Amino acid sequence: MAKATRDAYGEALAELGAVNNDIVVLDADLSASTKTNVFKKAFPDRHFNVGIAEQDLIGVAAGLAATGKIPFASSFAVFATGRAFEQIRNSVCYPRLNVKIAATHAGITVGEDGATHQANEDVAIMRSLPNMSVVVPADAAETKAIIKWAAAYDGPVYIRMGRSKVPDIFDDSYQYTFGKGIVLQDGVDVTLIAMGIMVAKAQEAAKQLEKEGISAAVVNMSTIKPIDAAMITAYAKKTGAVVTCEEHTIMGGLGSAVAEVLGECCPVPLTRVGMNDVFGESGTPDELLVKFGLTAEHIVQAAKAVIARK
Amino acid sequence: MQTLTDEQVQSVKNYAAAMRREIIKMITEAQSGHPGGSLSIADVVALLYDVEMNASPQDPHNPDRDRLVLSKGHAAPAIYAALALKGYFPIAELGGLRKIGRLLQGHPDMKHIPGIDMSTGSLGQGVSASCGIAIAGKLDHKDFRVFTIMGDGEQEEGQVWEAAMLAAHYKLDNLTAFLDNNGLQIDGKIDEVMCPEPLPDKWRAFGWHVIEVNGHDVQELHQAVCEAKTIKGKPTMIIMHTVKGKGVPEMENQAGWHGKAPSAEQCAIFLSELEGEQ
């Protein structure tokens, strides 16, 4: 079954709201899209629509957290992290307040709305902030697990979710461990490290590579910060080549985080699959993924190229 | 109780005078900081900590306490002086303002400084946080009050008006804001840089109860705070007509003293002037 991570987010919030009265949800006129309206229906007194005002969204969340609440602030990723960057920096991260920024509609799979609405730099921006943790669930089950973890964790968290449906990777028994990558498939020739919607594509790429006699390990790196340096180093040593896969610019996101670890701990050939310093455009999600090089086929080619550089 | 006793008024005045001396001393010692806007809010800050606020240095994190968010965070020396004089931390810490490894940061830091209810410094953000605190108070059915102090230059930040809409929309009558209307910002007169006036009309239009007072008249300020407590269903904005640099004649109404430290010689003169005023 395929489900969008934003749908799982709405369900997880409603489940959490029933067991924790301190959970408060804020939205900026997008509750039908971010799915916080599921929580709103169940707990109208604890859902606050701040209107189209993302700076205030984050500031109000900071005040709620300063008073012991656990606010989840939602908007599209481009507005949540871009419009309100400095509010996140100064009102949330500097005082290390317990605010969860749960953004949906990240990446180019926003689709038809086009470049203005496709956040391809949000992970890079959030990763640069002290005290901020950055997590990117790969499917619905992981989203639910991450939302529940975030509610229990004390500190700022950025959670990146998407608009479109993604295939199921995990089942409901899945347990999220903060800061740990998950090996979905072992391999010896190359390691594919992916986040978000690209995890399923990396799995698909590994199957194609296997048919050609190439053994690829697949890692779901759902915690981008703090990154699992131990796992990256171990798999760099084991396979000698790495491909990162992200629906995000290759500057500052997963690819950069992995490159930083490899550069300092275990230099091996690396190829970053992602948005290559360009804006997206209008189109269907699938058309855009093809046009901007974010398919299993692109990962297969990148894997072969990086193996050739060993 | 709408009127303070003479003893209460004198207590607030003495406290504000002591704060002004500490403000001048700490900024001179730091050779960095914002004296003009710290002096212009000294009277309201003194009144809040001396009379109005349910807050104690013995229990600075009490969940039932009244909160003060200094949205114009650069006026931190006023709050630091007020907190030190009330015993939130040793007065000796004032000499460490803006110095490396010391307690008192250039702008308020809630994580380390006892009595600071919100980290502020980037204009426009404190008022949003105040709204969040006020909402939390309502959710928990607590009767604490939230006070926030804004600058008039700060009114040029768009976020102020986002928060203004929200506070009225959610009927945050536990929120009382003060606007330090001293008429000056870094680059000059507010109406020449980017005129935010007419401020009373704007705040009324945004759904707030608006009171205008002389921001250096303790009795008027107290009456406004009392009036705010009686207003139900909407937040209150107390627009304080103030003098930037109030208390030091050379600094009064001078934009140049927004963010400049006195020399040691000037400090001695200013302190003697402040002694004389008391």
Side-chain angles (χ1 to χ4, degrees):
Chain A
M1 198 184 103
K3 186 189 273 190
T5 46
R6 61 175 169 144
D7 284 305
Y9 169 55
E11 292 166 18
L13 273 184
E15 288 170 24
L16 271 173
V19 295
N20 190 339
N21 282 328
D22 285 332
I23 304 277
V24 178
V25 177
L26 305 171
D27 212 306
D29 194 40
L30 291 167
S31 66
S33 298
T34 63
K35 302 300 176 189
T36 66
N37 61 355
V38 181
F39 181 93
K40 182 181 182 177
K41 200 173 168 191
F43 308 101
D45 295 346
R46 284 188 274 142
H47 184 281
F48 296 89
N49 200 329
V50 306
I52 309 166
E54 293 79 14
Q55 301 174 44
D56 196 40
L57 170 81
I58 299 301
V60 171
L64 283 159
T67 323
K69 298 295 170 192
I70 307 171
F72 279 76
S74 284
S75 182
F76 288 2
V78 71
F79 310 130
T81 65
R83 190 63 160 266
F85 168 72
E86 202 234 318
Q87 284 72 19
I88 297 173
R89 182 189 189 278
N90 282 324
S91 285
V92 175
C93 288
Y94 175 51
R96 202 179 187 281
L97 288 171
N98 195 20
V99 173
K100 318 302 167 185
I101 298 161
T104 65
H105 295 66
I108 57 165
T109 50
V110 164
E112 293 82 349
D113 276 349
T116 53
H117 285 52
Q118 296 162 350
N120 291 317
E121 54 290 299
D122 53 320
V123 171
I125 300 169
M126 292 297 101
R127 201 167 75 86
S128 69
L129 290 173
N131 292 333
M132 179 62 92
S133 298
V134 179
V135 292
V136 185
D139 75 348
E142 188 170 42
T143 300
K144 282 195 169 185
I146 280 177
I147 296 300
K148 286 175 184 175
W149 162 80
Y153 173 84
D154 183 22
V157 180
Y158 176 63
I159 305 149
R160 181 190 215 233
M161 292 169 289
R163 171 182 178 233
S164 305
K165 287 181 177 175
V166 286
D168 283 344
I169 294 168
F170 303 105
D171 61 29
D172 289 343
S173 67
Y174 172 76
Q175 301 274 325
Y176 171 71
T177 306
F178 178 51
K180 296 289 177 198
I182 301 156
V183 179
L184 298 174
Q185 175 180 324
D186 219 335
V188 294
D189 297 325
V190 64
T191 304
L192 312 178
I193 303 177
M195 74 175 191
I197 67 157
M198 296 304 286
V199 175
K201 312 247 177 247
Q203 286 181 303
E204 205 181 316
K207 279 183 195 150
Q208 289 183 33
L209 288 165
E210 195 175 358
K211 286 179 193 160
E212 299 180 45
I214 297 170
S215 163
V218 179
V219 174
N220 170 25
M221 197 59 81
S222 41
T223 313
I224 308 302
K225 185 186 174 188
I227 195 87
D228 190 347
M231 173 176 282
I232 293 167
T233 306
Y235 271 81
K237 282 180 182 160
K238 180 173 179 175
T239 63
V242 175
V243 176
T244 56
C245 319
E246 60 195 309
E247 187 201 12
H248 183 275
T249 172
I250 58 171
M251 297 176 183
L254 173 67
S256 292
V258 170
E260 288 159 18
V261 173
L262 294 179
E264 288 191 347
C265 305
C266 183
V268 298
L270 165 72
T271 296
R272 294 167 295 160
V273 171
M275 293 294 285
N276 204 347
D277 199 21
V278 289
F279 284 106
E281 63 183 69
S282 289
T284 67
D286 284 342
E287 287 168 345
L288 291 164
L289 289 169
V290 171
K291 180 159 186 174
F292 290 95
L294 304 176
T295 65
E297 186 52 40
H298 287 99
I299 298 170
V300 167
Q301 295 309 320
K304 289 179 183 171
V306 82
I307 288 168
R309 288 165 51 208
K310 277 204 218 179
Chain B
M1 179 64 186
Q2 297 285 312
T3 310
L4 296 174
T5 64
D6 290 347
E7 290 75 20
Q8 283 177 306
V9 171
Q10 197 54 49
S11 169
V12 174
K13 283 186 173 176
N14 291 345
Y15 184 29
M19 282 169 54
R20 287 194 161 93
R21 290 193 294 275
E22 295 300 338
I23 289 166
I24 293 299
K25 283 196 296 193
M26 79 176 95
I27 293 175
T28 303
E29 175 69 29
Q31 278 302 296
S32 168
H34 299 84
S38 298
L39 293 169
S40 63
I41 64 164
D43 299 300
V44 70
V45 172
L47 174 74
L48 287 170
Y49 283 108
D50 207 39
V51 175
E52 310 293 355
M53 284 174 59
N54 171 28
S56 161
Q58 278 75 46
D59 193 7
H61 298 292
N62 188 317
D64 296 324
R65 74 191 187 280
D66 290 340
R67 269 76 165 178
L68 174 58
V69 176
L70 185 66
S71 201
K72 48 171 289 187
H74 56 280
I79 304 289
Y80 294 163
L83 292 173
L85 289 165
K86 283 289 180 195
Y88 280 82
F89 49 80
I91 287 187
E93 287 294 346
L94 298 178
L97 174 72
R98 291 178 167 242
K99 290 182 179 168
I100 194 163
R102 298 294 297 271
L103 178 67
L104 300 182
Q105 299 299 299
H107 293 82
D109 168 12
M110 68 184 289
K111 280 292 165 179
H112 299 103
I113 305 173
I116 296 295
D117 291 319
M118 181 66 204
S119 298
T120 52
S122 179
L123 295 176
Q125 297 190 23
V127 59
S128 290
S130 304
C131 292
I133 297 169
I135 290 173
K138 295 255 179 202
L139 281 171
D140 290 339
H141 306 291
K142 289 188 180 291
D143 57 9
F144 66 70
R145 299 193 67 78
V146 187
F147 298 100
T148 188
I149 302 175
M150 282 187 270
D152 50 8
E154 184 177 13
Q155 307 301 299
E156 295 159 12
E157 286 282 6
Q159 186 177 356
V160 167
W161 303 101
E162 294 183 2
M165 267 185 281
L166 177 132
H169 182 84
Y170 285 108
K171 301 180 169 51
L172 301 179
D173 49 19
N174 51 351
L175 172 63
T176 301
F178 298 92
L179 205 168
D180 180 22
N181 196 187
N182 62 39
L184 296 171
Q185 58 190 112
I186 298 180
D187 275 351
K189 295 179 177 173
I190 58 166
D191 54 5
E192 289 175 3
V193 176
M194 178 47 64
C195 184
E197 298 284 0
L199 288 164
D201 291 348
K202 283 197 171 93
W203 283 94
R204 268 188 210 103
F206 273 73
W208 288 52
H209 179 69
V210 175
I211 307 169
E212 290 187 71
V213 299
N214 173 349
H216 304 302
D217 185 313
V218 172
Q219 200 69 265
E220 269 190 44
L221 281 165
H222 172 67
Q223 285 168 13
V225 172
C226 290
E227 182 178 324
K229 285 181 189 166
T230 69
I231 302 299
K232 300 300 173 197
K234 56 166 72 173
T236 294
M237 165 57 75
I238 300 172
I239 296 180
M240 307 186 297
H241 298 290
T242 55
V243 174
K244 194 156 187 160
K246 174 71 177 176
V248 176
E250 290 85 343
M251 287 185 171
E252 289 188 356
N253 291 314
Q254 299 297 315
W257 282 104
H258 173 88
K260 192 172 79 171
S263 67
E265 294 74 25
Q266 286 171 321
C267 177
I269 296 165
F270 297 169
L271 288 175
S272 67
E273 287 167 351
L274 286 165
E275 292 286 351
E277 186 156 283
Q278 190 188 7

